[in-house]
Amino acid sequence: MNIRPLREEFLRGVQAGSIFPLYDELDAREITPLSALRALRPLGHPVLLESARVNESTGRYSFVTADPYLVFRSKGDTVELHWKAAPEGKYGKRATLKRKPLPKLRELMANYRTARVDGLPPFTGGALGLFSYDFVHQFEDLPRTTSDDLAMPDASFLFVDLVVAFDHLADKAWVIVNPGAREQEMGFRKPEQDQWGRLYDEAAERLNKIASTLAAPPADGKLCGEVRGGTPVRLEPFLTRERFESMVRRCKEYIAAGDIYQANLSQRFSARIGDRDPLRLYEVLRGINPSPFAAYAEFGDCTVVSSSPERLVRLRGTIADTRPIAGTRR
């Protein structure tokens, strides 16, 4: 192993006010994003953000993580925190707060920051997750006309200090661990200066274990959850064909009248998959539609399988570029 930075360099950085992630380069010929996901999946809450279609501008990196130290969920103005790796203390491991979710999320993210390392991909740890459509009510006073039949959180985020990162253009891969992130207690605790040596050693040991796990051969060479015999899965639409076509006609009328210039219509399909593995669904979708913005994430109460062909938000320095997905003329 060739862990960087060295212990002395790391401690000098802490003294100067900078926390650096520990990292080691992997043999990119021996590991893929999917194989890394399978290897880390037993740690819980595995996530894959994958560029399944490599492109210099939109498909360069892939990231795999698991074993979060904090799970963040919100519904309305109620925030639930599950600190899976908190040390013993007065705040415990779970909390329910009456707080605006976005300020609390910002607070948690600001509490632990690591310095950028030249040569590493842009994501080395932090929070990853999703905002639902209903999260719009945190920004706009809009009527609520939908039925909350799924009872899903408005926002779900996993705070992670372990990342396996891939640079497909450079044909490189790294395992990255962030010392000290797990020492926080509900976001309010910071390690003392004399604890950083121990935290470095613990992070280095964890990094070595993860690297060994990734290098171990899989139990078998099969894809996850191979298709077995049984009743075929049937997708059931939420809207009838007649209802959906009526919505399309109304949108075309609005566009022709100049009231809107774009609309994104969608509907929900559902199916009972029984004991089938959702990761197998991702593998099939990836094969049919390789995307530069593919994702697989197990949040505990739900699993997300996605294969998006486009980026909706991109951060350039301190400016967030967004792609408008709908608009109206006032």
Side-chain angles (χ1 to χ4, degrees):
M1 298 294 291
N2 188 25
I3 296 176
R4 298 292 178 182
L6 298 176
R7 194 175 192 271
E8 295 75 15
E9 295 173 312
F10 174 83
L11 294 178
R12 284 198 298 269
V14 171
Q15 289 291 335
S18 296
I19 303 172
F20 289 93
L22 306 191
Y23 64 95
D24 190 24
E25 188 168 343
L26 303 169
D27 188 345
R29 299 169 300 178
E30 301 295 329
I31 184 174
T32 67
L34 267 176
S35 69
L37 181 73
R38 296 190 197 103
L40 299 185
R41 199 181 188 194
L43 298 179
H45 295 289
V47 177
L48 166 62
L49 305 178
E50 185 179 23
S51 296
R53 177 177 292 170
V54 176
N55 179 281
E56 184 173 357
S57 60
T58 60
R60 179 172 181 176
Y61 300 110
S62 292
F63 303 98
V64 180
T65 185
D67 192 22
Y69 58 89
L70 171 66
V71 178
F72 173 104
R73 296 187 181 95
S74 74
K75 189 79 169 179
D77 289 343
T78 298
V79 173
E80 294 182 1
L81 301 176
H82 179 195
W83 209 275
K84 300 174 70 65
E88 294 298 327
K90 64 180 180 180
Y91 292 109
K93 291 181 177 287
R94 291 182 181 271
T96 301
L97 314 172
K98 294 299 293 184
R99 291 282 302 275
K100 289 289 186 180
L102 203 55
K104 184 59 182 178
L105 189 59
R106 289 193 180 115
E107 176 187 308
L108 291 167
M109 292 179 66
N111 195 60
Y112 179 90
R113 292 186 180 275
T114 55
R116 285 290 183 92
V117 177
D118 291 340
L120 288 184
F123 180 68
T124 57
L128 48 85
L130 60 88
F131 296 109
S132 73
Y133 280 110
D134 284 337
F135 202 80
V136 70
H137 295 288
Q138 294 294 325
F139 307 101
E140 300 283 350
D141 184 14
L142 298 173
R144 295 180 180 269
T145 60
T146 58
S147 173
D148 186 15
D149 58 333
L150 295 180
M152 297 293 293
D154 292 344
S156 293
F157 279 83
L158 306 174
F159 282 71
V160 297
D161 59 346
L162 161 67
V163 176
V164 181
F166 297 82
D167 184 334
H168 299 298
L169 294 184
D171 197 24
K172 290 184 176 182
W174 301 263
V175 57
I176 303 164
V177 174
N178 294 267
R182 292 175 172 251
E183 292 294 304
Q184 302 176 81
E185 194 170 87
M186 291 299 172
F188 304 113
R189 174 173 173 165
K190 292 181 180 296
E192 301 294 337
Q193 286 292 327
D194 61 358
Q195 295 178 321
W196 283 106
R198 170 182 62 83
L199 297 175
Y200 179 96
D201 295 339
E202 291 175 354
E205 181 181 1
R206 185 168 175 233
L207 192 153
N208 283 327
K209 289 181 179 179
I210 295 298
S212 298
T213 299
L214 294 170
D220 56 52
K222 299 179 181 179
L223 288 174
C224 178
E226 295 224 33
V227 176
R228 301 185 299 272
T231 304
V233 172
R234 179 179 177 82
L235 289 172
E236 298 291 344
F238 188 71
L239 300 174
T240 65
R241 177 172 178 171
E242 292 75 15
R243 173 61 177 158
F244 189 77
E245 289 179 347
S246 173
M247 294 167 61
V248 172
R249 286 193 294 269
R250 288 180 62 192
C251 287
K252 292 172 69 174
E253 292 170 359
Y254 289 143
I255 292 172
D259 293 329
I260 66 173
Y261 62 84
Q262 184 183 32
N264 288 273
L265 292 177
S266 63
Q267 73 155 308
R268 189 173 76 205
F269 287 80
S270 61
R272 296 186 181 278
I273 65 172
D275 62 352
R276 291 174 172 85
D277 191 338
L279 181 53
R280 177 58 180 155
L281 174 60
Y282 175 80
E283 292 171 335
V284 172
L285 184 62
R286 181 184 186 275
I288 296 173
N289 181 38
S291 161
F293 305 108
Y296 177 87
E298 295 182 12
F299 289 98
D301 51 358
C302 73
T303 296
V304 174
V305 176
S306 175
S307 184
S308 175
E310 57 190 351
R311 175 194 286 131
L312 299 181
V313 180
R314 181 175 185 176
L315 186 64
R316 297 178 182 269
T318 59
I319 299 175
D321 293 335
T322 63
R323 176 188 181 277
I325 57 174
T328 63
R329 187 180 71 181
R330 297 185 184 275

